[in-house]
């Protein structure tokens, strides 16, 4: 949806990001948490020889 609105080059795209940010804050969501878990899983998998 963000890119269909023109991304950061349009007022609609920036409003979409702002609204999404507010929603994530209200719900205590963090998209970074998933990335942290993934890299830790890969790291442990390599240490143990699973990957």
């Amino acid at each position: 949806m963000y890119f269909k609105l023109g991304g950061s080059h349009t007022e609609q795209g920036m409003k979409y990001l702002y609204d999404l940010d507010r929603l994530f804050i209200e719900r205590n969501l963090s998209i970074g948490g998933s990335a942290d878990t993934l890299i830790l899983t890969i790291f442990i998998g390599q240490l143990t020889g699973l990957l």
Side-chain angles (χ1 to χ4, degrees):
M1 183 61 142
Y2 169 70
F3 292 112
K4 288 183 181 180
L5 294 172
S8 63
H9 300 287
T10 65
E11 188 175 324
Q12 296 87 357
M14 291 305 294
K15 182 181 180 323
Y16 179 83
L17 283 181
Y18 177 79
D19 292 343
L20 187 61
D21 183 50
R22 297 298 324 149
L23 177 67
F24 279 27
I25 290 170
E26 289 171 7
R27 295 185 182 182
N28 293 320
L29 299 175
S30 171
I31 58 173
S34 297
D36 294 342
T37 301
L38 175 61
I39 195 64
L40 184 58
T41 301
I42 292 169
F43 176 71
I44 291 172
Q46 288 182 338
L47 280 179
T48 61
L50 292 173
L51 297 177

